[in-house]
Structures are given as structure tokens and as C-alpha cells.
Amino acid sequence: MAFETKATIANFGGKLLKLQHQSSGTNTPMDVNLFLPPAALINGGHKVPVLIYLSGLTCTPQNCTEKGFFQAHAAAKGIALVWPDTSPRGANIAGETESWDFGAGAGFYVDATQDPWKGFYRMESYISTELPSALFAAFPEQLDAERVSITGHSMGGHGALTLYLKNPGKYRSVSAFAPIANPSECAWGKKAFTGYLGEDTAQWKKHDATELVKGWKGDLKALVDVGTGDNFYKQGQLLPENFEKAVKEAGVQGLTLRYQPDYDHSYFFMSSFAGDHVEHAAKYLFA
């Protein structure tokens, strides 16, 4: 599956590639940004580990690339970064652009089972299987398919946690900024899950980190940051306390959950702790 390179930008000694390819899963073109650190380029380069970042509601690959400030930390550690899109674009489904929290820009990292979404909104399969397979095939000398971690923000934090929990061994570690940690119990999640998955709440639990972690075995290798000044946290959209409780009740080890005083939901928050999350990934990617 060939990628078209839309732009190549020098960045912290590495290269930021703005790519596009035709997805067989979403049946649309998909944009993705890839940062290759200096280690992947010097003297012909060598394979480097990969950190996938999943963005939040309304975002595109550009938002975190430009405002998250991950590249400097990744360049220093020798880690490639991947920023996928948050949904298909141009599916031309009636109503897909009417809401900021459902449809375009809000794929919720699930494979839809309901019409008319199921023919296009297949973001779980796209992120976990199709995109990495395409990237590793396109960049075999630069990207190490055996060393991959995942992180994300808000809806993307939900995606990172659930994909990690549903695919033991696929990712070396997981981290999240202000994740929607119990979507079955918040307004954002209920709206998205009803639309994409239907009314059966048993199906929702298969995409809910708070439910999935109850069956986890071994070290969780998870870092989660939440800002206490985050209005969405205060409104009950994130519910990290439910996730933390489920982890404790299941006897699962390896969760570091930090409540950062006064930080909000924005890229000011993420950029402040991006280095910690790259460091967390590096601890396991280079183990």
C-alpha cells in the first residue's frame, strides 16, 4: 500500500513526513504524519522503535505534530513518532459533520457495526493492523515492527488504553493524557457507542478501558496524566477514578496515575509532560 509524501520537513535533526494513502478499511484516503529521528537517517539509518500517538476529538494529524512538542524528546531518544487521523475523511455519510463529538474527527477508535458507519468507520482495525503494516512495509529500514508503544490524548487516550488492553504483546507500553477512561459511563462515550455500536451495552464494554482492565494479566506498564483544572474532567467525561478503582480491584500492578495541579485539557498540558511520556515509552522500547 503506497504512501504519497505530501511534505518533508526538517525537524530536530530528523525528518517529519506528511503522508497520505488509500485505506482499504475506511475506504477513504487517510492522512498520517511520521517523524523519523536522526538515528533513523544517519549513515543510511537503522531501525528505530515506534511510538504511536492517537489524537482527540476534532483533531487531525497536524494538531499534535505542531503543538505537542514530542519531536525533540523523540529525537533525543531515537524513537519514531506516528500521528494517525481520528476518523475517515470524505466518506460523505449524511450527518457525519453535524456534531463535533461524533462522525468526522470522532471515530473513537472502534470498528462500527451499525449502518451507515460500518462501511467506513473502522478505526480500530485501521490503527491496530492496517496502518502499522503499511508503514513497516514502506519503511523497512527505518521502523522496527517489534518495538512499538502507544499513547494518546482524550478520545485518543481512550483509544491507546483500549487497543493496548485488547492486544496483549502488540505494544511494549501505554500512556495517556486525560483519557476518556470509562466511556460507557460518560456522555461522549454513550453518544459514540450508540451510534457506532448500537444499543447493546455489552458491546460497549469491549471498548471500555475500565471494563477491559479487569481481565488484564501482568504488569500494566501504563502512565496516565490528568489535569485537575480540566473542565472535561470536572464534568465527568473522563472518569479516571473509575479506571484506577478497577485496576486496584483487579489486583493489577503497573499503573502510574498522576493528577497534575491546575492543568487543563489543552496542548499546553500535553506539551508540558510530553517528555515524561516519551521517557516512559523509551523505558520499555529499549528494554
Side-chain angles (χ1 to χ4, degrees):
M1 183 182 303
F3 287 93
E4 179 183 358
T5 302
K6 298 288 190 177
T8 300
I9 303 167
N11 195 207
F12 292 103
K15 297 291 186 183
L16 173 66
L17 307 180
K18 295 189 176 185
L19 307 172
Q20 186 178 85
H21 71 127
Q22 181 66 34
S23 167
S24 59
T26 69
N27 293 301
T28 64
M30 295 295 289
D31 292 331
V32 57
N33 287 355
L34 169 66
F35 174 71
L36 296 174
L41 305 175
I42 297 174
N43 297 325
H46 65 274
K47 290 186 177 183
V48 297
V50 178
L51 177 59
I52 298 172
Y53 174 93
L54 303 183
S55 295
L57 289 164
T58 76
C59 290
T60 72
Q62 313 313 324
N63 297 84
C64 187
T65 303
E66 297 173 358
K67 296 185 286 187
F69 296 97
F70 281 75
Q71 293 95 302
H73 306 290
K77 291 293 182 180
I79 297 173
L81 298 168
V82 176
W83 297 268
D85 208 343
T86 50
S87 77
R89 305 283 176 171
N92 296 319
I93 297 173
E96 72 173 338
T97 60
E98 290 181 358
S99 300
W100 67 273
D101 56 356
F102 183 78
F108 260 82
Y109 304 104
V110 301
D111 286 350
T113 59
Q114 303 299 300
D115 289 325
W117 311 100
K118 65 182 183 182
F120 300 92
Y121 280 66
R122 302 187 56 77
M123 291 302 294
E124 179 179 354
S125 296
Y126 176 73
I127 297 296
S128 64
T129 303
E130 183 184 1
L131 177 60
S133 295
L135 285 170
F136 296 137
F139 299 91
E141 303 301 320
Q142 294 86 16
L143 303 181
D144 188 344
E146 301 302 316
R147 292 185 292 160
V148 182
S149 286
I150 193 165
T151 186
H153 169 237
S154 194
M155 178 185 71
H158 144 74
L161 289 171
T162 56
L163 294 182
Y164 179 81
L165 292 167
K166 294 179 75 171
N167 297 279
K170 180 180 283 288
Y171 307 103
R172 294 281 186 97
S173 66
V174 65
S175 70
F177 302 83
I180 304 172
N182 192 188
S184 297
E185 297 298 329
C186 75
W188 279 344
K190 290 177 181 178
K191 180 176 180 177
F193 286 177
T194 300
Y196 295 135
L197 305 174
E199 300 284 351
D200 184 359
T201 57
Q203 297 303 313
W204 299 5
K205 293 180 179 181
K206 297 177 182 179
H207 306 277
D208 187 320
T210 296
E211 296 295 334
L212 290 168
V213 79
K214 296 174 182 179
W216 185 259
K217 306 298 181 184
D219 188 342
L220 195 57
K221 302 176 183 176
L223 169 64
V224 176
D225 278 318
V226 179
T228 62
D230 187 328
N231 285 334
F232 296 121
Y233 166 57
K234 295 176 182 178
Q235 294 165 10
Q237 294 280 23
L238 307 181
L239 301 174
E241 63 275 13
N242 292 3
F243 181 68
E244 183 178 28
K245 179 181 178 183
V247 167
K248 290 180 178 178
E249 290 180 348
V252 173
Q253 303 298 312
L255 170 65
T256 299
L257 174 57
R258 309 187 303 189
Y259 290 93
Q260 303 291 1
D262 302 326
Y263 281 90
D264 62 15
H265 200 72
S266 74
Y267 285 94
F268 294 112
F269 163 55
M270 278 180 285
S271 61
S272 297
F273 300 101
D276 290 355
H277 285 246
V278 172
E279 182 70 37
H280 174 77
K283 174 182 176 181
Y284 298 101
L285 290 171
F286 291 103

